[in-house]
Amino acid sequence: MRIVIFGPPGSGKGTYASRLMEKLGVPHISTGDLVREEIRNQTPLGKMIEKYSSSGGLVPDETITEILKERMRSGASKGFVLEGYPRTVNQAKELAKMTKIDAVINLIVPDSVIIRRLSARLQCKSCGAIYNEITLKPRVAGKCDKCGGELFRRADDQPEVIQERLKVYREASAPVVDFYRSEGLLKDIGNEDPNADPNEIVSQILKMIKPRP
Ligand code: ADP
C-alpha cells in the first residue's frame, strides 16, 4: 500500500501518518523529518537547506527529491505512508517516476484551525512524536508519552513563519491537488473541528483506502 498524505502545514499529516504506519505495518516517510534530521546533524546538505526551512520556504525540488530517493532506497519495498512530499507539481511528477501511488489523502483544514494548532504544537526530540498543548497534551508536561524524550517547539512554528508556510502552500502546493484529482487518486477529508480526535480521522482514512472486497 503506497499512500500519500497531503495537506497544508498543521493539517495533521505527521500525526495521522505515524498512526497509519502502525495500523498498516509500512514505514512512515516524512520529508519534513528528513530535512530536520539533516539540519540537526549539520551535514553539508543540512547546512545548505537550513535557510529554506527556517524561513518557511521550500527546499529546491532537485534537492528534496534526492533526499527522498535515498530514503526510498533504504527500505520501502512493502509500501509506505508518505507525507510532506510532493509539495509542487514538479515533485508529483518525480514521484510518479519513482513508484506507483495507490491513493492521495487530501486534508482540508481552515487557516484559523491551522494557526491555532501550530502555535501550540510540540514535538519529541528523540522519537519525533507530535503533541499539542491544547488538544493532545502529553501525560507529563514537557515529556514524551512514548519514550520519555524532551518536547520542543519547532523553529518554524513562530507566527510570521507560519504565515509564510501558508502562503507557500497556497502558491506552490495547492496545484498538486488538481494534479492528483485529474489522475483519479484524490480522497478529500474535511476537518474543521480544532478539537477533533486524531483516531477518528485515521479511521476515516483507513475506510477510504481499504481495497473493496
Ligand atoms: P509542515 O508542518 O509545514 O507541513 P514539514 O515538517 O513537512 O512542514 O516540513 C518542514 C520544512 O521542510 C518545510 O517548510 C520545507 O522547508 C522543508 N520540506 C519538507 N518537505 C519538502 C518538500 N517536499 N519540498 C520542499 N521542501 C520541503
Side-chain angles (χ1 to χ4, degrees), residues 9 13 31-32 36 53 57 59 84-85 87 91 121 154 165:
K13 300 187 292 286
T31 50
R36 279 184 290 280
S53 164
V59 173
Y85 190 104
R87 263 177 154 93
Q91 291 179 18
R121 175 160 75 175
R154 273 171 46 173
R165 284 158 66 204

Side-chain angles (χ1 to χ4, degrees), residues 8-79:
S11 53
K13 300 187 292 286
T15 304
Y16 306 143
S18 68
R19 290 172 195 224
L20 285 166
M21 163 184 80
E22 286 163 19
K23 304 245 182 228
L24 298 170
V26 293
H28 164 199
I29 301 179
S30 158
T31 50
D33 284 348
L34 294 173
V35 161
R36 279 184 290 280
E37 198 177 314
E38 295 286 344
I39 297 173
R40 196 171 47 243
N41 295 334
Q42 284 291 290
T43 61
L45 186 60
K47 287 182 186 158
M48 200 271 276
I49 60 183
E50 190 163 15
K51 59 175 182 291
Y52 301 107
S53 164
S54 59
S55 63
L58 293 183
V59 173
D61 284 343
E62 309 78 68
T63 314
I64 196 78
T65 301
E66 267 320 303
I67 294 177
L68 178 65
K69 280 187 181 164
E70 185 62 38
R71 172 62 188 82
M72 290 282 197
R73 280 194 281 271
S74 68
S77 54
K78 281 201 301 174

